[in-house]
Amino acid sequence: MKGYLFDTHIHTKEASSCGEVPAAEVVKRYKSLGYSGIIVTDHVHAAQFAKHGSTYKEQAEKYLSGYRTAKAFEDENFKVILGMEIRFLENDNDYLLYGFDEDFVFSRDLAHFESLEAFKPVVEENNLIIFQAHPFRRHMTIINPALVDGIEVYNGHGNHNSSNDIAYAWAVKYSLPMLSGSDFHGNTEMEPGGVYFEEYVDDSKAVAQALRDKKYTLKCYQK
């Protein structure tokens, strides 16, 4: 047995304007594929949150709506976990963040940090873990590898060329931990991504610890 299969990069129609599938249908799809669970990583950035309401509380509630809806459909064989895909004001780079709960989302304005460097102390203070998503897609900016805990080397979004082969080579070059995820928005022709956790994970903090301890293997990757 390879372990417990989770998709690490999922978007819902409720909370990501680019999402095409309601959360309930996302859960149904991944249950049918034999996954042990999903990590809902809806978008957190200024442009997205501006569509969610006039106050940060309203915006945060909307961001959580996809996760909360999906959570209602979990069962003893399928877990729904909270994550996020966060972007900072400095450029169009996206980062996958794990290790937090709902209280953290309301503790500060996450949509308006100027840069990854400015956000890094928040990651460290809260024992979070952050991976750069699709780092070699068009319009991405090369960053100091020391600012992230790893990179996504397999991104399964079939409507983008994420240059997964370059991401894999970059991870090898800089000895960066690797991540695989579907970047699910709707049906595409690419193989769904994800990781096999060695031990069962039941919340975002457990995910962060498993990634930190490297107690997982990739479902899909480029080499």
Side-chain angles (χ1 to χ4, degrees):
M1 181 179 178
K2 293 182 178 180
Y4 301 93
L5 178 59
F6 280 74
D7 201 325
T8 63
H9 193 166
I10 296 287
H11 296 280
T12 68
K13 187 174 183 178
E14 286 85 348
S16 290
S17 57
C18 51
E20 301 171 359
V21 182
E25 292 300 315
V26 176
V27 172
K28 182 178 179 181
R29 171 190 171 90
Y30 277 89
K31 283 182 176 180
S32 73
L33 292 174
Y35 280 69
S36 299
I38 57 173
I39 306 173
V40 178
T41 55
D42 281 314
H43 288 289
V44 173
H45 60 77
Q48 179 68 75
F49 269 38
K51 302 174 183 178
H52 286 348
S54 58
T55 69
Y56 180 74
K57 185 177 187 299
E58 291 173 342
Q59 295 165 354
E61 292 282 356
K62 181 66 173 175
Y63 150 73
L64 288 167
S65 64
Y67 159 72
R68 289 170 172 171
T69 301
K71 187 80 171 171
F73 292 92
E74 73 175 10
D75 55 41
E76 61 183 9
N77 297 312
F78 190 90
K79 196 71 178 176
V80 176
I81 292 175
L82 181 61
M84 73 172 64
E85 185 172 11
I86 189 168
R87 180 183 298 177
F88 308 110
L89 299 177
E90 63 180 348
N91 54 41
D92 289 335
N93 287 359
D94 293 308
Y95 304 89
L96 296 165
L97 187 71
Y98 312 100
F100 60 93
D101 57 18
E102 291 191 26
D103 288 342
F104 171 79
V105 177
F106 293 101
S107 68
R108 70 207 75 207
D109 183 346
L110 297 171
H112 293 90
F113 273 83
E114 181 62 35
S115 65
L116 173 61
E117 188 170 8
F119 188 69
K120 187 66 173 176
V122 177
V123 173
E124 295 171 349
E125 291 164 9
N126 291 276
N127 202 32
L128 311 181
I129 194 165
I130 190 165
F131 282 68
Q132 187 175 5
H134 44 71
F136 290 95
R137 191 179 287 180
R138 285 188 65 189
H139 308 303
M140 299 295 100
T141 300
I142 298 297
I143 62 166
N144 178 357
L147 291 175
V148 292
D149 296 297
I151 63 172
E152 187 179 55
V153 300
Y154 179 85
N155 180 284
H157 196 316
N159 294 330
H160 290 282
N161 179 7
S162 296
S163 299
N164 290 329
D165 54 340
I166 300 175
Y168 182 89
W170 191 260
V172 171
K173 177 179 176 65
Y174 289 100
S175 300
L176 292 169
M178 304 179 188
L179 198 62
S180 167
S182 292
D183 197 1
F184 179 79
H185 291 75
N187 294 325
T188 70
E189 296 180 358
M190 289 185 71
E191 178 75 14
V195 303
Y196 292 94
F197 289 113
E198 294 178 12
E199 300 174 354
Y200 185 71
V201 293
D202 59 0
D203 62 21
S204 193
K205 293 181 181 181
V207 167
Q209 192 62 51
L211 294 174
R212 190 175 293 110
D213 294 340
K214 300 181 177 61
K215 291 185 175 181
Y216 67 97
T217 56
L218 304 184
K219 177 179 181 291
C220 295
Y221 61 96
Q222 185 78 39
K223 69 176 182 178

